[in-house]
Amino acid sequence: MECALSLGSCQGESLKLLESAIDALGNLPKTSVAAKASFYETEAVDVPERYKDLVFINTAVIVETALSPDELSEAVHELEYKLGRIRTGERHAPRTIDIDIITYGDITSSREDLTLPHPEAANRRFVIEPIAEIRPKLVLPGQSKTAFEILQSLPCTPKVKRISNNPN
């Protein structure tokens, strides 16, 4: 199954953490990384006021996996933990790594522990821009526009700036 994942970091050595996360995703059982987006520096979005000045680094990957949605979600959470993520319960708090499953094929889910596609993906430039780079024709389940078309409709702020070229 082809899945789009969004990755972000705002603590520690963000680029190295993101690269480590991408490598680890490719080493998951029955999983390979099919495409990697460039890295993007992004302004903080929806964070508490005290974190507004943090700089986030974001990217996206497309993975091919035979893991179930629940198995992939569990593996992603375990990977985040191994890379130093501490879940404090505070929403949008700083983190070493954040990996969100944006799509899992055409599957939709509205469970509390797994919502597919990610409910805010189409509203967040820092999610859509990297995905549009590597899968511009991807249509998120429940949407009628492609990732590229969604990107074109989003405001330019908060700012998202490419800081590296696509490593593919």
Side-chain angles (χ1 to χ4, degrees):
M1 184 69 61
E2 184 173 279
C3 307
L5 281 65
S6 176
L7 296 85
S9 175
C10 67
Q11 282 186 322
E13 295 184 56
S14 292
L15 287 172
K16 286 184 181 178
L17 286 162
L18 291 166
E19 289 168 348
S20 294
I22 293 167
D23 290 343
L25 286 166
N27 289 322
L28 291 176
K30 303 183 269 186
T31 304
S32 63
V33 175
K36 299 183 262 186
S38 302
F39 292 108
Y40 293 81
E41 184 178 284
T42 66
E43 293 179 344
V45 175
D46 294 335
V47 299
E49 190 61 38
R50 65 184 174 278
Y51 304 133
K52 287 284 187 195
D53 293 332
L54 288 176
V55 174
F56 288 75
I57 307 297
N58 294 92
T59 191
V61 296
I62 301 297
V63 298
E64 289 284 343
T65 189
L67 296 175
S68 71
D70 288 323
E71 290 170 328
L72 181 60
S73 180
E74 184 178 315
V76 162
H77 285 123
E78 185 176 318
L79 176 55
E80 288 175 328
Y81 175 77
K82 286 180 180 176
L83 290 172
R85 174 151 184 193
I86 299 169
R87 292 183 181 272
T88 64
E90 181 181 14
R91 286 187 54 78
H92 307 293
R95 64 212 54 178
T96 55
I97 193 77
D98 183 35
I99 306 170
D100 289 325
I101 303 171
I102 305 303
T103 64
Y104 186 96
D106 291 332
I107 292 176
T108 60
S109 171
S110 57
R111 293 188 351 227
E112 186 174 320
D113 64 329
L114 183 61
T115 304
L116 294 169
H118 190 285
E120 292 297 320
N123 301 319
R124 293 183 169 166
R125 186 174 199 90
F126 70 87
V127 172
I128 291 296
E129 190 160 340
I131 290 174
E133 176 189 338
I134 54 178
R135 284 294 187 275
K137 294 182 180 182
L138 175 70
V139 177
L140 281 62
Q143 296 286 324
S144 59
K145 295 179 179 180
T146 66
F148 180 78
E149 290 167 334
I150 292 169
L151 176 62
Q152 297 305 305
S153 70
L154 291 173
C156 292
T157 57
K159 291 181 182 172
V160 174
K161 178 178 80 174
R162 186 182 299 194
I163 58 171
S164 75
N165 289 326
N166 183 322
N168 286 330

CSV table of all heavy atoms in Angstrom, one decimal, residues 79-134:
chain,number,residue,atom,x,y,z
A,79,LEU,N,9.1,4.4,16.6
A,79,LEU,CA,10.3,5.1,16.0
A,79,LEU,C,10.4,6.5,16.6
A,79,LEU,O,11.5,7.0,16.9
A,79,LEU,CB,10.1,5.2,14.5
A,79,LEU,CG,11.1,6.0,13.6
A,79,LEU,CD1,12.5,5.5,13.9
A,79,LEU,CD2,10.7,5.9,12.2
A,80,GLU,N,9.3,7.3,16.8
A,80,GLU,CA,9.4,8.6,17.4
A,80,GLU,C,10.0,8.5,18.8
A,80,GLU,O,10.9,9.3,19.1
A,80,GLU,CB,8.0,9.2,17.5
A,80,GLU,CG,7.4,9.6,16.2
A,80,GLU,CD,6.0,10.1,16.3
A,80,GLU,OE1,5.2,9.6,17.2
A,80,GLU,OE2,5.6,11.0,15.6
A,81,TYR,N,9.6,7.5,19.5
A,81,TYR,CA,10.1,7.3,20.9
A,81,TYR,C,11.6,7.0,20.8
A,81,TYR,O,12.4,7.6,21.6
A,81,TYR,CB,9.4,6.1,21.6
A,81,TYR,CG,10.0,5.8,22.9
A,81,TYR,CD1,9.7,6.6,24.0
A,81,TYR,CD2,10.8,4.7,23.1
A,81,TYR,CE1,10.2,6.3,25.3
A,81,TYR,CE2,11.3,4.4,24.3
A,81,TYR,CZ,11.0,5.2,25.4
A,81,TYR,OH,11.6,4.9,26.6
A,82,LYS,N,12.1,6.2,19.9
A,82,LYS,CA,13.5,5.8,19.8
A,82,LYS,C,14.3,7.1,19.4
A,82,LYS,O,15.5,7.1,19.7
A,82,LYS,CB,13.7,4.7,18.8
A,82,LYS,CG,13.3,3.4,19.3
A,82,LYS,CD,13.5,2.3,18.2
A,82,LYS,CE,13.1,0.9,18.7
A,82,LYS,NZ,13.2,-0.1,17.6
A,83,LEU,N,13.7,8.0,18.7
A,83,LEU,CA,14.4,9.2,18.3
A,83,LEU,C,14.2,10.4,19.3
A,83,LEU,O,14.5,11.5,19.0
A,83,LEU,CB,13.9,9.7,16.9
A,83,LEU,CG,14.4,8.7,15.8
A,83,LEU,CD1,13.8,9.1,14.4
A,83,LEU,CD2,15.9,8.8,15.7
A,84,GLY,N,13.7,10.0,20.5
A,84,GLY,CA,13.7,11.0,21.6
A,84,GLY,C,12.5,11.8,21.8
A,84,GLY,O,12.4,12.7,22.6
A,85,ARG,N,11.4,11.4,21.1
A,85,ARG,CA,10.1,12.1,21.3
A,85,ARG,C,9.5,11.8,22.6
A,85,ARG,O,9.4,10.6,23.0
A,85,ARG,CB,9.1,11.9,20.2
A,85,ARG,CG,7.8,12.5,20.5
A,85,ARG,CD,7.0,12.9,19.4
A,85,ARG,NE,5.8,13.6,19.8
A,85,ARG,CZ,4.8,13.8,19.0
A,85,ARG,NH1,4.9,13.4,17.7
A,85,ARG,NH2,3.7,14.4,19.4
A,86,ILE,N,9.2,12.8,23.4
A,86,ILE,CA,8.5,12.6,24.7
A,86,ILE,C,7.1,13.2,24.6
A,86,ILE,O,7.0,14.4,24.3
A,86,ILE,CB,9.3,13.3,25.8
A,86,ILE,CG1,10.7,12.6,25.9
A,86,ILE,CG2,8.5,13.1,27.1
A,86,ILE,CD1,11.6,13.4,26.9
A,87,ARG,N,6.1,12.4,24.7
A,87,ARG,CA,4.7,12.8,24.6
A,87,ARG,C,4.3,13.3,26.0
A,87,ARG,O,4.1,12.6,26.9
A,87,ARG,CB,3.8,11.7,24.1
A,87,ARG,CG,4.1,11.3,22.7
A,87,ARG,CD,3.1,10.3,22.2
A,87,ARG,NE,3.5,9.9,20.8
A,87,ARG,CZ,3.0,10.5,19.8
A,87,ARG,NH1,2.2,11.5,19.9
A,87,ARG,NH2,3.4,10.2,18.6
A,88,THR,N,4.2,14.7,26.1
A,88,THR,CA,3.9,15.3,27.4
A,88,THR,C,2.4,15.5,27.6
A,88,THR,O,2.0,15.8,28.7
A,88,THR,CB,4.5,16.7,27.5
A,88,THR,OG1,4.0,17.5,26.5
A,88,THR,CG2,6.1,16.6,27.3
A,89,GLY,N,1.6,15.3,26.5
A,89,GLY,CA,0.2,15.6,26.6
A,89,GLY,C,-0.2,17.0,26.2
A,89,GLY,O,-1.3,17.3,25.9
A,90,GLU,N,0.8,17.8,26.1
A,90,GLU,CA,0.6,19.2,25.6
A,90,GLU,C,0.6,19.2,24.1
A,90,GLU,O,1.5,18.7,23.4
A,90,GLU,CB,1.7,20.1,26.1
A,90,GLU,CG,1.5,21.6,25.6
A,90,GLU,CD,2.7,22.5,26.1
A,90,GLU,OE1,3.7,22.0,26.5
A,90,GLU,OE2,2.5,23.7,26.0
A,91,ARG,N,-0.6,19.6,23.5
A,91,ARG,CA,-0.7,19.7,22.0
A,91,ARG,C,0.3,20.7,21.4
A,91,ARG,O,0.4,21.8,22.0
A,91,ARG,CB,-2.1,20.0,21.7
A,91,ARG,CG,-3.1,18.8,21.9
A,91,ARG,CD,-4.5,19.1,21.4
A,91,ARG,NE,-4.6,19.4,20.0
A,91,ARG,CZ,-4.5,18.6,18.9
A,91,ARG,NH1,-4.2,17.3,19.1
A,91,ARG,NH2,-4.6,19.0,17.7
A,92,HIS,N,0.9,20.3,20.4
A,92,HIS,CA,1.8,21.2,19.6
A,92,HIS,C,3.0,21.7,20.4
A,92,HIS,O,3.5,22.7,20.1
A,92,HIS,CB,1.0,22.4,19.0
A,92,HIS,CG,-0.2,22.0,18.2
A,92,HIS,ND1,-0.2,21.3,17.1
A,92,HIS,CD2,-1.6,22.1,18.5
A,92,HIS,CE1,-1.4,21.1,16.6
A,92,HIS,NE2,-2.3,21.6,17.5
A,93,ALA,N,3.4,20.9,21.3
A,93,ALA,CA,4.6,21.2,22.1
A,93,ALA,C,5.8,20.9,21.2
A,93,ALA,O,5.8,20.1,20.3
A,93,ALA,CB,4.7,20.4,23.4
A,94,PRO,N,7.0,21.5,21.5
A,94,PRO,CA,8.2,21.1,20.8
A,94,PRO,C,8.5,19.6,20.9
A,94,PRO,O,8.2,19.0,21.8
A,94,PRO,CB,9.3,21.9,21.5
A,94,PRO,CG,8.6,23.0,22.2
A,94,PRO,CD,7.2,22.5,22.5
A,95,ARG,N,9.1,19.1,19.8
A,95,ARG,CA,9.4,17.7,19.8
A,95,ARG,C,10.7,17.5,18.9
A,95,ARG,O,10.9,18.2,18.0
A,95,ARG,CB,8.3,16.9,19.2
A,95,ARG,CG,8.0,17.3,17.8
A,95,ARG,CD,6.6,17.2,17.4
A,95,ARG,NE,5.7,18.0,18.2
A,95,ARG,CZ,4.4,18.1,18.0
A,95,ARG,NH1,3.9,17.5,17.0
A,95,ARG,NH2,3.7,18.8,18.8
A,96,THR,N,11.4,16.4,19.2
A,96,THR,CA,12.5,16.0,18.4
A,96,THR,C,12.1,15.5,17.0
A,96,THR,O,12.7,15.8,16.0
A,96,THR,CB,13.4,14.9,19.1
A,96,THR,OG1,12.5,13.8,19.4
A,96,THR,CG2,14.0,15.4,20.3
A,97,ILE,N,11.0,14.8,17.0
A,97,ILE,CA,10.5,14.2,15.8
A,97,ILE,C,9.0,14.0,15.8
A,97,ILE,O,8.4,13.7,16.9
A,97,ILE,CB,11.2,12.9,15.5
A,97,ILE,CG1,10.9,12.4,14.0
A,97,ILE,CG2,10.8,11.8,16.4
A,97,ILE,CD1,11.7,13.1,13.0
A,98,ASP,N,8.3,14.3,14.7
A,98,ASP,CA,6.9,14.1,14.6
A,98,ASP,C,6.6,13.4,13.3
A,98,ASP,O,7.1,14.0,12.2
A,98,ASP,CB,6.1,15.4,14.7
A,98,ASP,CG,4.6,15.2,14.7
A,98,ASP,OD1,4.1,14.2,15.2
A,98,ASP,OD2,3.9,16.1,14.1
A,99,ILE,N,6.0,12.3,13.3
A,99,ILE,CA,5.7,11.6,12.0
A,99,ILE,C,4.2,11.3,12.0
A,99,ILE,O,3.7,10.7,12.9
A,99,ILE,CB,6.5,10.2,11.9
A,99,ILE,CG1,8.0,10.4,12.1
A,99,ILE,CG2,6.2,9.6,10.6
A,99,ILE,CD1,8.8,9.1,12.2
A,100,ASP,N,3.6,11.9,11.0
A,100,ASP,CA,2.1,11.7,10.8
A,100,ASP,C,1.8,10.9,9.5
A,100,ASP,O,2.4,11.2,8.5
A,100,ASP,CB,1.4,13.1,10.7
A,100,ASP,CG,1.4,13.8,12.0
A,100,ASP,OD1,1.3,13.2,13.1
A,100,ASP,OD2,1.5,15.1,12.0
A,101,ILE,N,0.9,10.0,9.7
A,101,ILE,CA,0.5,9.2,8.5
A,101,ILE,C,-0.6,10.1,7.9
A,101,ILE,O,-1.7,10.4,8.5
A,101,ILE,CB,-0.1,7.9,8.9
A,101,ILE,CG1,0.9,7.0,9.6
A,101,ILE,CG2,-0.6,7.2,7.6
A,101,ILE,CD1,0.4,5.7,10.2
A,102,ILE,N,-0.3,10.7,6.7
A,102,ILE,CA,-1.3,11.6,6.0
A,102,ILE,C,-2.3,10.7,5.2
A,102,ILE,O,-3.5,11.0,5.3
A,102,ILE,CB,-0.5,12.5,5.1
A,102,ILE,CG1,0.5,13.3,5.9
A,102,ILE,CG2,-1.5,13.5,4.4
A,102,ILE,CD1,0.0,14.1,7.1
A,103,THR,N,-1.8,9.8,4.5
A,103,THR,CA,-2.7,8.9,3.7
A,103,THR,C,-2.2,7.4,3.9
A,103,THR,O,-1.0,7.2,4.0
A,103,THR,CB,-2.8,9.2,2.2
A,103,THR,OG1,-1.5,9.0,1.6
A,103,THR,CG2,-3.3,10.6,2.0
A,104,TYR,N,-3.1,6.5,3.8
A,104,TYR,CA,-2.8,5.1,3.7
A,104,TYR,C,-3.7,4.6,2.6
A,104,TYR,O,-4.8,4.2,2.8
A,104,TYR,CB,-3.1,4.4,5.0
A,104,TYR,CG,-2.7,2.9,5.0
A,104,TYR,CD1,-1.5,2.6,5.6
A,104,TYR,CD2,-3.5,1.9,4.4
A,104,TYR,CE1,-1.1,1.2,5.6
A,104,TYR,CE2,-3.1,0.6,4.4
A,104,TYR,CZ,-1.9,0.3,5.0
A,104,TYR,OH,-1.4,-1.0,5.0
A,105,GLY,N,-3.1,4.7,1.4
A,105,GLY,CA,-3.9,4.4,0.2
A,105,GLY,C,-5.2,5.2,0.2
A,105,GLY,O,-5.1,6.4,0.5
A,106,ASP,N,-6.3,4.6,-0.1
A,106,ASP,CA,-7.6,5.3,-0.1
A,106,ASP,C,-8.4,5.0,1.1
A,106,ASP,O,-9.6,5.4,1.2
A,106,ASP,CB,-8.4,4.8,-1.3
A,106,ASP,CG,-7.8,5.3,-2.7
A,106,ASP,OD1,-7.2,6.4,-2.7
A,106,ASP,OD2,-8.0,4.7,-3.7
A,107,ILE,N,-7.7,4.5,2.1
A,107,ILE,CA,-8.4,4.1,3.4
A,107,ILE,C,-8.8,5.4,4.2
A,107,ILE,O,-8.0,6.3,4.3
A,107,ILE,CB,-7.6,3.1,4.2
A,107,ILE,CG1,-7.5,1.8,3.5
A,107,ILE,CG2,-8.2,3.0,5.6
A,107,ILE,CD1,-6.7,0.8,4.2
A,108,THR,N,-10.0,5.4,4.7
A,108,THR,CA,-10.4,6.5,5.6
A,108,THR,C,-10.7,5.8,7.0
A,108,THR,O,-11.1,4.7,7.1
A,108,THR,CB,-11.6,7.2,5.1
A,108,THR,OG1,-12.7,6.3,5.0
A,108,THR,CG2,-11.4,7.9,3.8
A,109,SER,N,-10.4,6.6,8.0
A,109,SER,CA,-10.7,6.2,9.4
A,109,SER,C,-10.9,7.4,10.2
A,109,SER,O,-10.2,8.4,10.1
A,109,SER,CB,-9.4,5.4,9.9
A,109,SER,OG,-9.6,5.2,11.3
A,110,SER,N,-11.9,7.3,11.1
A,110,SER,CA,-12.2,8.4,12.0
A,110,SER,C,-12.1,8.0,13.5
A,110,SER,O,-12.7,8.6,14.3
A,110,SER,CB,-13.6,9.0,11.7
A,110,SER,OG,-14.5,8.0,11.8
A,111,ARG,N,-11.3,6.9,13.7
A,111,ARG,CA,-11.0,6.5,15.1
A,111,ARG,C,-10.2,7.5,15.8
A,111,ARG,O,-9.4,8.3,15.2
A,111,ARG,CB,-10.3,5.2,15.1
A,111,ARG,CG,-11.1,4.0,14.5
A,111,ARG,CD,-10.4,2.7,14.7
A,111,ARG,NE,-9.0,2.7,15.2
A,111,ARG,CZ,-8.1,2.0,14.6
A,111,ARG,NH1,-8.3,1.2,13.6
A,111,ARG,NH2,-6.8,2.1,15.1
A,112,GLU,N,-10.4,7.6,17.1
A,112,GLU,CA,-9.7,8.6,17.9
A,112,GLU,C,-8.1,8.3,17.8
A,112,GLU,O,-7.4,9.3,17.8
A,112,GLU,CB,-10.1,8.5,19.4
A,112,GLU,CG,-9.5,9.5,20.3
A,112,GLU,CD,-10.0,9.5,21.7
A,112,GLU,OE1,-11.2,9.3,21.8
A,112,GLU,OE2,-9.2,9.7,22.6
A,113,ASP,N,-7.7,7.1,17.7
A,113,ASP,CA,-6.3,6.8,17.7
A,113,ASP,C,-5.7,6.7,16.3
A,113,ASP,O,-4.5,6.6,16.1
A,113,ASP,CB,-6.0,5.5,18.4
A,113,ASP,CG,-6.7,4.3,17.7
A,113,ASP,OD1,-7.7,4.4,17.1
A,113,ASP,OD2,-6.1,3.2,17.8
A,114,LEU,N,-6.5,6.8,15.2
A,114,LEU,CA,-6.0,6.8,13.9
A,114,LEU,C,-7.1,7.5,12.9
A,114,LEU,O,-8.1,6.9,12.6
A,114,LEU,CB,-5.7,5.4,13.4
A,114,LEU,CG,-5.1,5.3,12.0
A,114,LEU,CD1,-3.7,6.0,11.9
A,114,LEU,CD2,-4.9,3.8,11.6
A,115,THR,N,-6.8,8.7,12.5
A,115,THR,CA,-7.7,9.4,11.6
A,115,THR,C,-7.0,9.5,10.2
A,115,THR,O,-5.8,10.0,10.1
A,115,THR,CB,-8.0,10.8,12.1
A,115,THR,OG1,-8.5,10.7,13.4
A,115,THR,CG2,-9.0,11.5,11.2
A,116,LEU,N,-7.6,9.0,9.2
A,116,LEU,CA,-7.1,9.0,7.9
A,116,LEU,C,-8.1,9.5,6.9
A,116,LEU,O,-9.3,9.0,7.0
A,116,LEU,CB,-6.7,7.5,7.4
A,116,LEU,CG,-5.5,6.9,8.2
A,116,LEU,CD1,-5.4,5.4,7.9
A,116,LEU,CD2,-4.2,7.6,7.9
A,117,PRO,N,-7.7,10.3,6.0
A,117,PRO,CA,-6.4,11.0,6.0
A,117,PRO,C,-6.3,11.9,7.2
A,117,PRO,O,-7.3,12.2,7.8
A,117,PRO,CB,-6.5,11.8,4.6
A,117,PRO,CG,-7.9,12.1,4.4
A,117,PRO,CD,-8.6,10.9,4.9
A,118,HIS,N,-5.1,12.4,7.4
A,118,HIS,CA,-4.8,13.3,8.5
A,118,HIS,C,-5.8,14.5,8.4
A,118,HIS,O,-5.9,15.1,7.3
A,118,HIS,CB,-3.4,13.8,8.5
A,118,HIS,CG,-3.0,14.6,9.7
A,118,HIS,ND1,-3.4,15.8,9.9
A,118,HIS,CD2,-2.3,14.2,10.8
A,118,HIS,CE1,-2.9,16.2,11.1
A,118,HIS,NE2,-2.2,15.3,11.6
A,119,PRO,N,-6.6,14.8,9.4
A,119,PRO,CA,-7.6,15.8,9.3
A,119,PRO,C,-7.2,17.2,8.9
A,119,PRO,O,-8.0,18.0,8.3
A,119,PRO,CB,-8.3,15.8,10.7
A,119,PRO,CG,-7.3,15.2,11.6
A,119,PRO,CD,-6.4,14.3,10.8
A,120,GLU,N,-6.0,17.6,9.2
A,120,GLU,CA,-5.5,19.0,8.9
A,120,GLU,C,-4.6,19.1,7.7
A,120,GLU,O,-4.2,20.2,7.3
A,120,GLU,CB,-4.8,19.6,10.1
A,120,GLU,CG,-5.8,19.9,11.3
A,120,GLU,CD,-6.8,20.9,10.9
A,120,GLU,OE1,-6.5,21.9,10.2
A,120,GLU,OE2,-8.0,20.7,11.3
A,121,ALA,N,-4.3,18.0,7.1
A,121,ALA,CA,-3.3,17.9,6.0
A,121,ALA,C,-3.6,18.9,4.9
A,121,ALA,O,-2.7,19.7,4.5
A,121,ALA,CB,-3.2,16.5,5.4
A,122,ALA,N,-4.8,19.0,4.4
A,122,ALA,CA,-5.2,19.9,3.3
A,122,ALA,C,-5.2,21.3,3.6
A,122,ALA,O,-5.2,22.2,2.8
A,122,ALA,CB,-6.5,19.5,2.7
A,123,ASN,N,-5.0,21.7,4.9
A,123,ASN,CA,-5.0,23.1,5.4
A,123,ASN,C,-3.6,23.5,5.7
A,123,ASN,O,-3.5,24.7,6.1
A,123,ASN,CB,-5.9,23.2,6.6
A,123,ASN,CG,-7.3,22.8,6.3
A,123,ASN,OD1,-7.9,23.1,5.3
A,123,ASN,ND2,-8.0,22.1,7.3
A,124,ARG,N,-2.7,22.7,5.7
A,124,ARG,CA,-1.3,23.0,6.1
A,124,ARG,C,-0.3,23.0,5.0
A,124,ARG,O,0.0,21.9,4.5
A,124,ARG,CB,-0.9,22.1,7.3
A,124,ARG,CG,-1.8,22.3,8.5
A,124,ARG,CD,-1.4,21.4,9.6
A,124,ARG,NE,-2.0,21.8,10.9
A,124,ARG,CZ,-2.1,21.1,12.0
A,124,ARG,NH1,-1.5,19.9,12.0
A,124,ARG,NH2,-2.7,21.6,13.0
A,125,ARG,N,0.2,24.1,4.7
A,125,ARG,CA,1.2,24.2,3.6
A,125,ARG,C,2.4,23.4,3.9
A,125,ARG,O,3.0,22.8,3.0
A,125,ARG,CB,1.6,25.7,3.4
A,125,ARG,CG,2.4,25.9,2.2
A,125,ARG,CD,2.6,27.4,2.0
A,125,ARG,NE,3.1,27.6,0.6
A,125,ARG,CZ,2.3,27.8,-0.4
A,125,ARG,NH1,1.0,27.9,-0.3
A,125,ARG,NH2,2.8,27.9,-1.6
A,126,PHE,N,2.9,23.3,5.2
A,126,PHE,CA,4.1,22.6,5.5
A,126,PHE,C,3.9,21.1,5.3
A,126,PHE,O,4.9,20.4,5.3
A,126,PHE,CB,4.6,22.9,7.0
A,126,PHE,CG,3.7,22.4,8.1
A,126,PHE,CD1,3.9,21.2,8.6
A,126,PHE,CD2,2.7,23.3,8.6
A,126,PHE,CE1,3.1,20.7,9.6
A,126,PHE,CE2,1.9,22.8,9.7
A,126,PHE,CZ,2.1,21.5,10.2
A,127,VAL,N,2.7,20.6,5.2
A,127,VAL,CA,2.4,19.2,4.9
A,127,VAL,C,2.2,19.0,3.4
A,127,VAL,O,2.8,18.1,2.8
A,127,VAL,CB,1.1,18.7,5.7
A,127,VAL,CG1,0.7,17.3,5.2
A,127,VAL,CG2,1.3,18.8,7.2
A,128,ILE,N,1.4,19.9,2.8
A,128,ILE,CA,1.1,19.7,1.4
A,128,ILE,C,2.2,20.0,0.5
A,128,ILE,O,2.4,19.3,-0.5
A,128,ILE,CB,-0.2,20.5,1.0
A,128,ILE,CG1,-1.4,19.9,1.7
A,128,ILE,CG2,-0.4,20.6,-0.5
A,128,ILE,CD1,-1.8,18.5,1.3
A,129,GLU,N,3.0,21.0,0.8
A,129,GLU,CA,4.1,21.4,-0.2
A,129,GLU,C,5.1,20.3,-0.4
A,129,GLU,O,5.4,19.9,-1.5
A,129,GLU,CB,4.8,22.7,0.3
A,129,GLU,CG,5.7,23.2,-0.8
A,129,GLU,CD,6.1,24.7,-0.6
A,129,GLU,OE1,5.4,25.4,0.0
A,129,GLU,OE2,7.1,25.1,-1.2
A,130,PRO,N,5.6,19.6,0.7
A,130,PRO,CA,6.5,18.5,0.4
A,130,PRO,C,5.8,17.3,-0.3
A,130,PRO,O,6.4,16.7,-1.2
A,130,PRO,CB,7.0,18.1,1.8
A,130,PRO,CG,6.7,19.3,2.7
A,130,PRO,CD,5.6,20.0,2.1
A,131,ILE,N,4.6,17.1,0.0
A,131,ILE,CA,3.9,16.0,-0.6
A,131,ILE,C,3.6,16.3,-2.1
A,131,ILE,O,3.9,15.5,-3.0
A,131,ILE,CB,2.5,15.7,0.1
A,131,ILE,CG1,2.8,15.0,1.4
A,131,ILE,CG2,1.6,14.8,-0.8
A,131,ILE,CD1,1.6,14.8,2.3
A,132,ALA,N,3.3,17.6,-2.4
A,132,ALA,CA,3.1,18.0,-3.8
A,132,ALA,C,4.4,17.9,-4.6
A,132,ALA,O,4.3,17.7,-5.8
A,132,ALA,CB,2.5,19.4,-3.8
A,133,GLU,N,5.5,18.1,-3.9
A,133,GLU,CA,6.8,17.9,-4.6
A,133,GLU,C,7.0,16.5,-5.1
A,133,GLU,O,7.5,16.3,-6.3
A,133,GLU,CB,7.9,18.3,-3.6
A,133,GLU,CG,9.3,18.1,-4.2
A,133,GLU,CD,10.4,18.3,-3.2
A,133,GLU,OE1,10.2,18.9,-2.1
A,133,GLU,OE2,11.5,17.8,-3.4
A,134,ILE,N,6.6,15.5,-4.3
A,134,ILE,CA,6.9,14.1,-4.7
A,134,ILE,C,5.7,13.4,-5.3
A,134,ILE,O,5.9,12.4,-6.0
A,134,ILE,CB,7.5,13.4,-3.5
A,134,ILE,CG1,6.7,13.4,-2.3
A,134,ILE,CG2,9.0,13.8,-3.3
A,134,ILE,CD1,7.2,12.6,-1.1
